[in-house]
Amino acid sequence: MRRGGLAGRFGRAMPQQMQSALSDVAQALLLPGTVGAVVGQVAGSLTRALRERRQTVRALAGCAHLADLLEAEPDVEALSFYPHLLAWELGQLPADKAVAPVILLDTFEDVGDRTHRDLERLIQRVVWLMPNCFFVITGRSRLQWADTSLQGQLDHTGPTAWPGLASTAAVPAARPVRGLRRQVLVGDFSPEDCDDHLARRLTRDGAPLIDEEIRQVVTGRSHGLPLYLDLTVMRFLEIRRTGRRPQPSDFDHDFPALIARTLSDLTPDERHVLRSVSLLDAFDLNLATAAAGLRHQAPALRLIERPFVRENAFGLWPYHLHGLIRSTVRGADDQTDDRWSARDWEQAAQRALAAVGEQWSTRTGRDRMLLVGCLRQGLALARDFQLDLGWLADAAWAYVGDSVWEPLAPPARNDTTGGMTTAADALLELLAALARRQHEHRERTAERLTAVVATGALPADLHEMALYYLAKAQRDLGRSDDSRRGMQRVADGGGRLAPAARRGLAHLARLAGDFPAALEAAGHLGWEGRHHRIAGDVRWVQGDMTRAATAYAAARDEVETHGVPGERATAQAQRAFVLAFTHPGQAADELHLADQLLTGLDLRATTLTTRIAALVRDAGTTGDLDDRLRVLRAEIGVTGLLDAQVTLELAAGFHHAVTGAHDELGLTISRLRDLTSHGDHAYYVDIVHFMAGLPLDGASPARWLDTEEATRRRWRALVTARRQHLNTGQ
């Protein structure tokens, strides 16, 4: 074509007939006028050159389809096949002059929509006819050319024609693949890339014009979105034109223009779905459609194909909005024509809350992951829009009932009111405090629960939940009188936690040393009151490990039939603890089972029980046991769990009694006296005396099930049996 002088003819006037035809085509396809003129000039010049110059015809005689193209009328259909000639000519270049042209087609979403594909069909044909060229097509929507459903709308469709554009395409081995075609989602910038881009985007004398502090603010807010960085640069220049020096605070906000650009090529229904799902952390098609209040999924299906909708195939709900897009849609000053009012947002939140609740209520079986996910999303919606609790109350009871305690951490509030002004605020704080108590000092848990109770914002049954767990925290801290009053109020109320409160009262009787009363109460608690575990708790402090182990096994098996994994793990840990005194070998297997049952659970007190049990199992041995005692003593000290502290000292007393370490035994007794000075667990001091064969300093504060002497004999026998076990190596 260069030899025929075709390049020199570009830009000259086209035949009037050709110009008129292409002008009509450009208008029909809504092409910009200049683009239509350029296409017409190139095609017209090519046609005239091929028709008028025999020299060029002879040069291209080897092109098999040339004759057919020359004979065809030069309408838009025929002209769209002419790129084949250019591709053929490129293929004829000698090796030392071979080139691979790169063709950039930017903002591809402007070629049309998903219904009218006439222009897209022509462009796709060009790409198909030029396999030896490198096309870079960019846009906000993915190319659907690999979808078989488009057959008839486009010329070449399906995964065989475009294997790289299909997410999972099985290309038949016998069919050749035309080149390598891939579709890549251009991801977000890393923080380092954001800073580098901003530093290089505007410079003066080789130095960044945007200072580092501003770059840090922009990087933090951008979530790596390139468009946000470009808008920031424009704002920076705009501020400088006013003569003022830009400050970091100038960029600590969202850009309304980001909404306009995001919504510009969405249909009204798609924009409606986008705003609706911005209320959700994650969603699926059903949830998005229900939250939008639509009866058909088509808008949601189109929306999830947009690059600002991210997909996590392994998530509970697979889709979520880009973080910056979500915060901007919800928080920026939306000046679009179809912007939502405050009432629109509230109604959307009500629909979203109902849709999330519907997914939880229609579940089949016990789906803990779904429960926690629905609670996180539902609590955030109810809190942010001050909605009624509705299904959230039942979900909260289900969350508490399993005693698993996964963290509930919905996003921070959108407003700055703070505090617990609504029932949703109070419920969120209640559940968060219960989950965090596995990682906080019990004093902090008691403070948080006291604040929840003081609000009076919760309905009666959930208010009792806060009272009950406050009483438990007070018991853990040794505040038995406060705990007893709280437990009695819940027990007298006769609500869902009344059996648990009666169990709490039995625990308090045990801690005070009134063992007959505690055992008698256990007989009336039933499985909901954990009657077998209460019996085991009473039996083991008598030194009756065999009956205690049997009670704990019964407790474990009973709650397993009712599907309470947390209580099952707790009962098993207690069984391992008591068997560690009598059967160290069997205790190792029981501890292994307890560790398995604790997998996936967040139960700090139970985990500490298993570690104390491991110390009891190894009591009397030399080596690192003293170091393990010191480490565990420090770890338990930061929890505020008094029961774990005194139980650890009891384990230490057993170890020192077996080894005959009288000085260490005296220190252990002293620590126990300090820990039990308020009255609860005071009989632990007696038990250490029993194990060491030491006389008591005064009368025992406990009411033992048998006589005091019988209890002493049992505990002393455990020490004697361990010494014999160590001496014989059995």
Side-chain angles (χ1 to χ4, degrees):
M1 294 166 70
R2 283 193 300 269
R3 290 194 300 272
L6 179 59
R9 304 174 65 91
F10 283 1
R12 298 182 183 179
M14 295 181 292
Q16 185 65 32
Q17 181 182 4
M18 184 69 74
Q19 286 186 356
S20 177
L22 289 176
S23 177
D24 294 340
V25 171
Q27 183 177 2
L29 297 178
L30 299 179
L31 283 172
T34 54
V35 175
V38 170
V39 172
Q41 287 180 351
V42 174
S45 300
L46 177 62
T47 304
R48 292 176 58 193
L50 293 177
R51 287 184 179 277
E52 296 173 6
R53 291 182 175 271
R54 295 185 179 183
Q55 177 184 357
T56 305
V57 174
R58 287 195 298 270
L60 299 178
C63 180
H65 299 290
L66 175 61
D68 295 333
L69 292 174
L70 292 179
E71 290 298 327
E73 288 296 325
D75 55 15
V76 68
E77 186 73 14
L79 293 174
S80 65
F81 287 96
Y82 273 62
H84 168 71
L85 302 179
L86 180 56
W88 181 86
E89 177 69 14
L90 290 171
Q92 307 310 306
L93 293 175
D96 58 339
K97 296 183 179 180
V99 295
V102 178
I103 298 93
L104 304 178
L105 301 176
D106 195 11
T107 62
F108 195 72
E109 65 274 6
D110 292 339
V111 303
D113 54 38
R114 296 298 172 86
T115 303
H116 303 91
R117 297 180 181 268
D118 296 334
L119 181 54
E120 183 180 2
R121 181 167 177 260
L122 297 179
I123 293 177
Q124 188 216 41
R125 184 178 297 169
V126 171
V127 176
W128 179 264
L129 292 173
M130 304 182 72
N132 50 0
C133 296
F134 187 76
F135 284 86
V136 179
I137 303 176
T138 62
R140 290 199 289 266
S141 305
R142 74 175 182 90
L143 289 177
Q144 297 178 306
W145 298 350
D147 295 355
T148 55
S149 59
L150 294 182
Q151 187 174 7
Q153 290 183 276
L154 301 176
D155 290 341
H156 309 283
T157 59
T160 302
W162 309 94
L165 301 186
S167 56
T168 54
V171 182
R175 298 291 300 275
V177 178
R178 293 173 58 87
L180 176 62
R181 299 175 174 88
R182 293 187 297 137
Q183 187 154 222
V184 179
L185 173 64
V186 179
D188 301 329
F189 286 180
S190 67
E192 295 79 11
D193 287 339
C194 288
D195 185 81
D196 183 67
H197 173 78
L198 293 171
R200 295 171 181 268
R201 182 66 174 80
L202 298 176
T203 60
R204 172 178 288 175
D205 299 328
L209 197 59
I210 304 177
D211 62 44
E212 183 177 1
E213 190 174 0
I214 293 178
R215 298 201 304 268
Q216 289 178 351
V217 172
V218 174
T219 297
R221 291 195 62 91
S222 70
H223 292 259
L225 192 68
L227 176 56
Y228 187 92
L229 303 181
D230 290 340
L231 293 172
T232 296
V233 172
M234 295 168 59
R235 179 169 176 77
F236 184 89
L237 293 175
E238 181 181 351
I239 294 174
R240 280 179 58 87
R241 291 190 193 102
T242 66
R244 183 170 65 85
R245 180 183 178 85
Q247 300 297 320
S249 58
D250 294 324
F251 303 92
D252 191 17
H253 68 89
D254 296 319
F255 289 105
L258 191 62
I259 301 179
R261 295 202 184 185
T262 302
L263 302 181
S264 61
D265 59 335
L266 299 180
T267 66
D269 280 349
E270 290 169 355
R271 292 197 293 270
H272 187 76
V273 175
L274 173 63
R275 288 190 173 95
S276 300
V277 298
S278 71
L279 297 169
L280 301 168
D281 296 334
F283 58 92
D284 57 17
L285 288 174
N286 291 332
L287 193 54
T289 303
L294 300 178
R295 296 184 178 181
H296 51 286
Q297 292 185 341
L301 279 169
R302 294 194 300 269
L303 186 71
I304 63 174
E305 296 179 353
R306 303 288 177 166
F308 52 76
V309 177
R310 306 302 168 83
E311 182 176 5
N312 176 13
F314 301 102
L316 178 61
W317 294 287
Y319 306 109
H320 64 276
L321 288 181
H322 185 282
L324 180 60
I325 299 297
R326 184 185 179 204
S327 65
T328 304
V329 169
R330 290 191 62 177
D333 185 13
D334 186 351
Q335 294 300 317
T336 55
D337 291 339
D338 57 350
R339 62 184 179 273
W340 279 6
S341 67
R343 179 57 180 161
D344 292 331
W345 282 107
E346 182 181 349
Q347 289 177 335
Q350 291 173 342
R351 291 194 302 267
L353 180 62
V356 173
E358 181 70 15
Q359 291 209 357
W360 176 69
S361 61
T362 57
R363 72 199 186 284
T364 56
R366 302 175 68 89
D367 191 335
R368 185 74 184 182
M369 183 182 296
L370 179 63
L371 168 64
V372 173
C374 290
L375 268 174
R376 286 174 179 164
Q377 300 222 70
L379 284 170
L381 287 166
R383 175 200 62 190
D384 292 345
F385 292 91
Q386 301 183 7
L387 304 179
D388 294 335
L389 293 181
W391 62 269
L392 288 169
D394 288 336
W397 282 107
Y399 172 78
V400 170
D402 286 344
S403 300
V404 179
W405 311 118
E406 304 93 330
L408 291 173
R413 299 178 67 97
N414 288 334
D415 55 51
T416 58
T417 57
M420 289 180 281
T421 58
T422 67
D425 290 321
L427 179 56
L428 179 56
E429 176 64 8
L430 169 60
L431 298 182
L434 296 184
R436 283 296 301 166
R437 72 191 177 124
Q438 308 299 328
H439 307 280
E440 293 178 338
H441 195 283
R442 279 296 192 269
E443 187 67 51
R444 173 59 179 154
T445 302
E447 291 174 358
R448 297 178 69 175
L449 293 177
T450 299
V452 171
V453 171
T455 65
L458 291 171
D461 59 337
L462 293 175
H463 183 75
E464 285 192 353
M465 180 192 293
L467 277 176
Y468 170 75
Y469 282 101
L470 173 59
K472 283 193 67 173
Q474 291 167 335
R475 185 189 69 201
D476 292 337
L477 292 168
R479 303 173 188 170
S480 296
D481 291 340
D482 293 337
S483 177
R484 189 173 290 106
R485 283 192 292 270
M487 291 292 184
Q488 193 64 59
R489 285 182 59 187
V490 177
D492 293 343
R496 297 193 195 191
L497 287 176
R502 288 191 287 271
R503 179 180 78 238
L505 292 171
H507 274 304
L508 289 167
R510 174 180 60 85
L511 298 184
D514 192 352
F515 302 122
L519 191 61
E520 194 275 336
H524 303 286
L525 293 177
W527 83 267
E528 291 179 321
R530 313 295 190 251
H531 58 141
H532 288 309
R533 179 155 68 89
I534 295 295
D537 291 342
V538 173
R539 292 291 182 187
W540 80 259
V541 292
Q542 317 298 313
D544 191 352
M545 302 305 178
T546 300
R547 295 175 73 178
T550 300
Y552 286 134
R556 178 199 62 202
D557 296 341
E558 185 174 52
V559 296
E560 185 173 17
T561 62
H562 293 281
V564 188
E567 179 62 26
R568 180 182 59 174
T570 297
Q572 176 59 31
Q574 289 294 129
R575 174 175 167 81
F577 170 73
V578 298
L579 288 175
F581 284 98
T582 56
H583 300 87
Q586 182 182 352
D589 295 334
E590 299 291 342
L591 279 172
H592 180 67
L593 176 58
D595 289 338
Q596 288 183 317
L597 296 181
L598 278 168
T599 301
L601 305 181
D602 194 3
L603 299 173
R604 181 163 59 168
T606 301
T607 301
L608 291 174
T609 298
T610 62
R611 296 181 63 184
I612 296 173
L615 291 175
V616 174
R617 178 197 62 193
D618 300 335
T621 62
T622 57
D624 66 342
L625 197 137
D626 289 334
D627 292 334
R628 288 162 58 191
L629 274 170
R630 283 191 290 271
V631 170
L632 192 52
R633 186 177 289 126
E635 292 183 13
I636 293 177
V638 301
T639 67
L641 293 171
L642 180 60
D643 191 71
Q645 289 176 297
V646 296
T647 304
L648 177 64
E649 297 304 331
L650 186 70
F654 181 62
H655 169 63
H656 298 317
V658 172
T659 60
H662 298 291
D663 292 340
E664 289 80 0
L665 195 62
L667 292 174
T668 298
I669 292 175
S670 178
R671 280 192 291 267
L672 272 173
R673 282 201 173 103
D674 291 339
L675 290 170
T676 62
S677 59
H678 59 283
D680 286 345
H681 301 95
Y683 53 86
Y684 276 50
V685 176
D686 299 352
I687 293 175
V688 175
H689 280 80
F690 296 164
M691 290 189 293
L694 299 174
L696 297 180
D697 297 335
S700 173
R703 293 180 58 208
W704 304 100
L705 294 179
D706 297 330
T707 63
E708 177 183 317
E709 185 59 32
T711 305
R712 174 186 288 272
R713 285 197 302 269
R714 282 192 292 269
W715 278 108
R716 184 60 182 169
L718 293 174
V719 174
T720 303
R722 178 58 59 91
R723 287 176 175 173
Q724 182 179 1
H725 170 78
L726 294 172
N727 290 333
T728 61
Q730 298 178 354

